[in-house]
Amino acid sequence: MKTRSGIPARVRGHLATHAACSVLMACALALPAASALAGDIRAAVRDRDGKPVADAVVVAVPAGGAAGAAIPPGTAEEDQRNKEFVPYVLPIQVGTRVTFPNNDNIRHHVYSFSPAKAFELPLYSGTSASPVLFDKPGVVILGCNIHDWMVGYIYVSESPHFAKTGADGKATLGGLPGGDYSLRVWHPRLEGSEQATARQLAVPATGAADVAATIGLTPDFRARRAPTPGRGGY
């Protein structure tokens, strides 16, 4: 059966359906998906003398709680090189498994008595037997029974949104859903409590929120190590 236009009704139906689908697809491509919208936090951390602070951990917790922004934890690595923990500060999310490879030509004995994670890896070289699961938030202080000056820190965050400052004192937390957050700063030599650094911050759905933080630092009380060829001690 043909219509007045000369085009069979069945064909006209197919064409109309195809046109409608094309319009819907065009609209879908023109509008960004809600899940794709994300903002950043650009943080700058300085001490009271205005100098940039490296190795500071900046954490953003959603106003609704970290559980509302579930991101599967992954794996991380805390190396041992030149009789030092590398990195000095390792920020991770709760639920992360950390390996402790020993790339020195001597054996190390890694341990921690911290409430957030007490564990011990007896004398070994190469790769440790199995990764360690960090299942509680908090700060884990690492030591070596053989080398007193070896100290490292693992910061276990309850939130998936965190970053560590570089030598310039800057860190970027990327890919945050827009909304209100509580922002905190932690450092191994932080003067006072981490909670005292908390502030409220609104993160845009797109773009970035800039924040500057000033923290007090205590003196560095790490055990001194003897100078090595080509390097100084501390």
Side-chain angles (χ1 to χ4, degrees):
M1 176 180 177
K2 293 186 178 181
T3 63
R4 292 181 180 178
S5 63
I7 301 175
R10 185 176 62 181
V11 174
R12 286 188 64 197
H14 287 315
L15 291 175
T17 302
H18 178 75
C21 290
S22 298
V23 171
L24 290 174
M25 289 180 64
C27 291
L29 291 174
L31 296 174
S35 59
L37 297 177
D40 298 338
I41 295 177
R42 295 187 300 222
V45 182
R46 295 183 175 275
D47 64 16
R48 287 175 179 157
D49 293 326
K51 297 179 181 178
V53 177
D55 290 320
V57 181
V58 183
V59 182
V61 180
I71 295 177
T75 59
E77 182 178 280
E78 181 70 39
D79 204 349
Q80 296 154 81
R81 283 181 271 160
N82 192 33
K83 305 184 185 78
E84 299 283 2
F85 287 112
V86 180
Y88 175 52
V89 173
L90 174 66
I92 61 172
Q93 183 184 348
V94 167
T96 300
R97 295 181 183 273
V98 179
T99 56
F100 292 82
N102 177 4
N103 282 299
D104 281 334
N105 58 2
I106 57 175
R107 294 193 295 173
H108 291 300
H109 187 131
V110 180
Y111 72 92
S112 177
F113 296 134
S114 300
K117 189 66 179 183
F119 69 97
E120 187 172 9
L121 302 175
L123 280 169
Y124 72 97
S125 59
T127 303
S128 58
S130 60
V132 178
L133 172 64
F134 290 81
D135 51 2
K136 295 179 183 178
V139 177
V140 179
I141 305 174
L142 305 174
C144 175
N145 270 341
I146 310 303
H147 308 96
D148 291 341
W149 65 81
M150 285 182 65
V151 177
Y153 297 85
I154 296 181
Y155 182 97
V156 189
S157 170
E158 80 275 28
S159 170
H161 308 300
F162 56 84
K164 184 175 70 171
T165 59
D168 59 358
K170 296 180 179 180
T172 299
L173 289 68
L176 286 75
D180 295 327
Y181 289 79
S182 175
L183 193 75
R184 306 191 311 261
V185 179
W186 175 87
H187 187 271
R189 293 166 47 208
L190 179 65
E191 185 180 86
S193 71
E194 177 185 350
Q195 291 300 328
T197 70
R199 66 176 67 187
Q200 301 307 305
L201 181 69
V203 176
T206 58
D210 293 311
V211 59
T214 300
I215 61 174
L217 299 178
T218 62
D220 191 348
F221 289 119
R222 284 184 291 174
R224 299 278 175 176
R225 67 173 290 178
T228 56
R231 293 187 47 161
Y234 62 75

